[in-house]
Amino acid sequence: MSVENQEIAEYLTATKYIVLATVNEGDAPALRVLGAFGVKGFQFFYSTKKDTNKVQHTDQNPQVTALFQHENQNPAQFVNVSITGKAVRLTNEIEIDEAVSVIGNRNAKFRENVRLNGIAANQYLYRVDPQEIRILDRRNGAGPDSIKVLSI
């Protein structure tokens, strides 16, 4: 992984919450904040209850985007990263174990809950395979110079 890609991966890992965008039944964006997520390279994993709108949305259209952004940044050095990709509901034990490990590495409460109770009967785990990464980095100036797009 290049130094630049390593910096992006570290930024993703250090993000406290993400904003996940799905497409709703009316083809409009639907946004929500997630804390039960984890990052492996540019892939990310998240947990959700089975009866949520995001499950219905990803069943209908698996294309999602997640915004990774740190709080209280200096505007002149503002950075955020968005990852667009296909959300895949995990069904086999090996994939589920990987998701639990990745999410649990950044979310001790999630890890402990799974350790004590297993995966809840009303819970799904997803992996998002990235297709595009968009980096906004105001350290490079404003306007078009501040945006970089990586196709995966």
Side-chain angles (χ1 to χ4, degrees):
M1 185 177 284
S2 73
V3 171
E4 180 183 34
N5 287 354
Q6 183 63 34
E7 182 183 3
I8 296 166
E10 289 171 2
Y11 183 90
L12 299 175
T13 301
T15 302
K16 188 172 181 179
Y17 297 101
I18 61 174
V19 178
L20 182 73
T22 59
V23 178
N24 70 19
E25 302 80 9
D27 292 329
L31 305 172
R32 74 274 294 150
V33 175
L34 298 179
F37 75 94
V39 179
K40 180 181 175 187
F42 296 137
Q43 274 185 332
F44 69 94
F45 299 82
Y46 65 91
S47 172
T48 188
K49 291 185 178 178
K50 291 180 179 181
D51 61 353
T52 63
N53 286 333
K54 62 186 156 297
V55 169
Q56 293 174 343
H57 298 169
T58 55
D59 283 350
Q60 293 172 5
N61 181 348
Q63 287 298 116
V64 302
T65 297
L67 176 69
F68 294 74
Q69 181 172 297
H70 296 184
E71 298 291 324
N72 303 316
Q73 295 184 64
N74 176 335
Q77 297 178 330
F78 185 85
V79 174
N80 69 31
V81 178
S82 63
I83 297 177
T84 298
K86 182 179 179 183
V88 178
R89 186 185 310 158
L90 304 180
T91 57
N92 79 51
E93 192 172 329
I94 292 170
E95 292 176 323
I96 289 170
D97 288 346
E98 179 184 28
V100 168
S101 175
V102 172
I103 296 168
N105 283 341
R106 69 162 299 283
N107 187 320
K109 183 178 177 182
F110 176 85
R111 180 180 55 239
E112 185 64 9
N113 190 42
V114 171
R115 186 184 72 75
L116 292 174
N117 305 309
I119 299 295
N122 67 339
Q123 183 177 22
Y124 283 141
L125 295 167
Y126 285 86
R127 180 188 69 238
V128 177
D129 297 322
Q131 297 164 329
E132 179 183 271
I133 299 169
R134 184 175 293 268
I135 302 127
L136 172 67
D137 187 345
R138 290 291 166 87
R139 297 173 298 182
N140 297 327
D145 291 338
S146 66
I147 299 171
K148 181 174 185 178
V149 179
L150 305 175
S151 296
I152 305 298

